[in-house]
Amino acid sequence: MDIIVSIMDIVPNKNLQRAESVQGQSRRMESSLLSLAERLKRARKRRGWSQDETARLLQVSIVTYRKMEKADPGTAIGTWVAVLSLLGMLGDLDNLLLYDRDYQGATLEQSLRTRRRSRGVSPDDLADRL
C-alpha cells in the first residue's frame, strides 16, 4: 500500500485534482453566500425591520426569509431579486454577468480560436459536428 501511495503522489491524478478544484469552488461559493446573507441581515436591521416585517414586504414566508439570512442555497433567485428591489439595490444586479467583464470566458474563447486555427478547423466545420 505504501508503494501505491507513493506512486499516486508522483503521478498526478486528474480526477483528484478536479475534485479538489470543485471542493475549493464549493467553499468559495459557500463563503460568498454566507457573506451575502450577512449583508442582507445588516441591511434589514439598518432599516429597522424585523424578519417578520421583511418577509411580509417580500411576500414570502418567514421560513423562506430566515433561510435567506442563514445562507440557504435553495432560496430561489427570484426571491433574492425581490429583496434587492425592496432594498433599492436592484441596479446592482445589472453589474452581474457583464460580457466585457467575463475574463475567464474571454480567455477560453481565445484559447478555442487558437486551437481551431492550429488544427485547421473552421467554424463551419465545428457547426457541422454539432
Side-chain angles (χ1 to χ4, degrees):
M1 189 68 162
D2 291 336
I3 294 173
I4 293 172
V5 171
S6 63
I7 290 172
M8 289 177 66
D9 289 339
I10 295 169
V11 179
N13 182 332
K14 292 191 185 240
N15 289 333
L16 181 60
Q17 290 171 346
R18 218 174 280 126
E20 289 171 354
S21 175
V22 169
Q23 286 175 345
Q25 288 174 353
S26 180
R27 276 187 238 113
R28 285 192 302 275
M29 288 187 303
E30 184 179 341
S31 175
S32 293
L33 191 53
L34 284 168
S35 178
L36 181 64
E38 183 58 35
R39 292 193 306 269
L40 171 60
K41 184 176 183 177
R42 280 191 306 230
R44 173 184 59 80
K45 287 183 174 188
R46 184 178 225 181
R47 287 158 177 77
W49 299 339
S50 68
Q51 286 184 330
D52 287 327
E53 185 176 9
T54 308
R56 184 179 49 75
L57 290 168
L58 287 172
Q59 299 177 351
V60 299
S61 72
I62 185 64
V63 172
T64 295
Y65 183 77
R66 286 184 178 147
K67 285 181 178 183
M68 291 177 79
E69 284 196 5
K70 289 183 180 180
D72 185 312
T75 305
I77 187 120
T79 307
W80 281 104
V81 171
V83 84
L84 286 172
S85 179
L86 179 66
L87 297 172
M89 298 179 175
L90 192 57
D92 293 343
L93 194 61
D94 293 335
N95 292 321
L96 300 177
L97 295 174
L98 293 174
Y99 186 79
D100 61 340
R101 291 187 187 173
D102 182 10
Y103 305 115
Q104 182 183 33
T107 301
L108 291 169
E109 182 179 48
Q110 183 60 38
S111 173
L112 287 172
R113 284 183 188 150
T114 302
R115 282 194 292 179
R116 283 184 207 135
R117 278 190 292 242
S118 67
R119 292 182 189 165
V121 177
S122 74
D124 292 332
D125 291 338
L126 289 175
D128 291 341
R129 291 180 190 173
L130 298 175

